[in-house]
Short mmCIF file of all heavy atoms in Angstrom, two decimals:
data_model
loop_
_atom_site.label_atom_id
_atom_site.label_comp_id
_atom_site.label_asym_id
_atom_site.label_seq_id
_atom_site.Cartn_x
_atom_site.Cartn_y
_atom_site.Cartn_z
N ALA A 194 134.58 36.93 62.15
CA ALA A 194 134.77 35.49 62.28
C ALA A 194 135.56 34.87 61.13
O ALA A 194 135.99 33.72 61.22
CB ALA A 194 133.41 34.80 62.37
N ASN A 195 135.74 35.61 60.02
CA ASN A 195 136.47 35.09 58.86
C ASN A 195 135.87 33.79 58.32
O ASN A 195 136.59 32.83 57.99
CB ASN A 195 137.95 34.88 59.19
CG ASN A 195 138.70 36.19 59.29
OD1 ASN A 195 138.42 37.14 58.55
ND2 ASN A 195 139.62 36.28 60.22
N VAL A 196 134.54 33.76 58.26
CA VAL A 196 133.84 32.60 57.70
C VAL A 196 132.73 33.09 56.78
O VAL A 196 132.33 34.26 56.81
CB VAL A 196 133.25 31.69 58.80
CG1 VAL A 196 134.35 31.01 59.60
CG2 VAL A 196 132.31 32.47 59.71
N LEU A 197 132.21 32.17 55.98
CA LEU A 197 131.07 32.41 55.10
C LEU A 197 129.99 31.38 55.42
O LEU A 197 130.28 30.29 55.91
CB LEU A 197 131.48 32.28 53.63
CG LEU A 197 132.66 33.12 53.15
CD1 LEU A 197 133.03 32.72 51.72
CD2 LEU A 197 132.32 34.61 53.22
N ALA A 198 128.75 31.73 55.13
CA ALA A 198 127.63 30.80 55.32
C ALA A 198 127.19 30.25 53.97
O ALA A 198 126.98 31.01 53.02
CB ALA A 198 126.47 31.50 56.01
N LEU A 199 127.07 28.94 53.90
CA LEU A 199 126.54 28.25 52.73
C LEU A 199 125.19 27.67 53.14
O LEU A 199 125.14 26.74 53.95
CB LEU A 199 127.50 27.15 52.26
CG LEU A 199 127.09 26.35 51.02
CD1 LEU A 199 127.04 27.24 49.79
CD2 LEU A 199 128.07 25.19 50.80
N THR A 200 124.10 28.22 52.60
CA THR A 200 122.76 27.91 53.10
C THR A 200 121.83 27.51 51.97
O THR A 200 121.60 28.31 51.05
CB THR A 200 122.18 29.13 53.84
OG1 THR A 200 123.06 29.53 54.89
CG2 THR A 200 120.80 28.81 54.40
N PRO A 201 121.26 26.30 52.00
CA PRO A 201 120.30 25.91 50.97
C PRO A 201 118.94 26.56 51.20
O PRO A 201 118.57 26.90 52.32
CB PRO A 201 120.23 24.39 51.13
CG PRO A 201 120.48 24.17 52.59
CD PRO A 201 121.47 25.24 53.01
N ILE A 202 118.19 26.73 50.13
CA ILE A 202 116.83 27.27 50.19
C ILE A 202 115.87 26.13 49.83
O ILE A 202 115.91 25.60 48.72
CB ILE A 202 116.66 28.44 49.21
CG1 ILE A 202 117.67 29.55 49.51
CG2 ILE A 202 115.24 29.00 49.28
CD1 ILE A 202 117.71 30.63 48.45
N SER A 203 115.04 25.75 50.77
CA SER A 203 114.06 24.66 50.59
C SER A 203 114.71 23.41 50.00
O SER A 203 114.31 22.95 48.92
CB SER A 203 112.90 25.13 49.69
OG SER A 203 112.25 26.25 50.25
N PRO A 204 115.71 22.83 50.67
CA PRO A 204 116.36 21.64 50.12
C PRO A 204 115.44 20.43 50.17
O PRO A 204 114.74 20.19 51.16
CB PRO A 204 117.57 21.45 51.05
CG PRO A 204 117.15 22.05 52.35
CD PRO A 204 116.27 23.22 51.99
N PHE A 205 115.41 19.66 49.10
CA PHE A 205 114.63 18.43 49.03
C PHE A 205 115.53 17.20 49.15
O PHE A 205 115.17 16.22 49.77
CB PHE A 205 113.85 18.38 47.71
CG PHE A 205 113.06 17.11 47.53
CD1 PHE A 205 111.92 16.87 48.27
CD2 PHE A 205 113.48 16.15 46.62
CE1 PHE A 205 111.21 15.69 48.11
CE2 PHE A 205 112.78 14.97 46.44
CZ PHE A 205 111.64 14.73 47.19
N ARG A 206 116.69 17.27 48.56
CA ARG A 206 117.66 16.18 48.63
C ARG A 206 119.07 16.75 48.57
O ARG A 206 119.32 17.58 47.70
CB ARG A 206 117.44 15.21 47.46
CG ARG A 206 118.26 13.95 47.55
CD ARG A 206 118.08 13.03 46.35
NE ARG A 206 116.67 12.68 46.13
CZ ARG A 206 116.02 12.88 45.00
NH1 ARG A 206 116.65 13.46 43.98
NH2 ARG A 206 114.76 12.56 44.88
#
Side-chain angles (χ1 to χ4, degrees):
N195 287 324
V196 292
L197 306 173
L199 181 64
T200 303
I202 303 170
S203 301
F205 177 73
R206 188 183 304 124

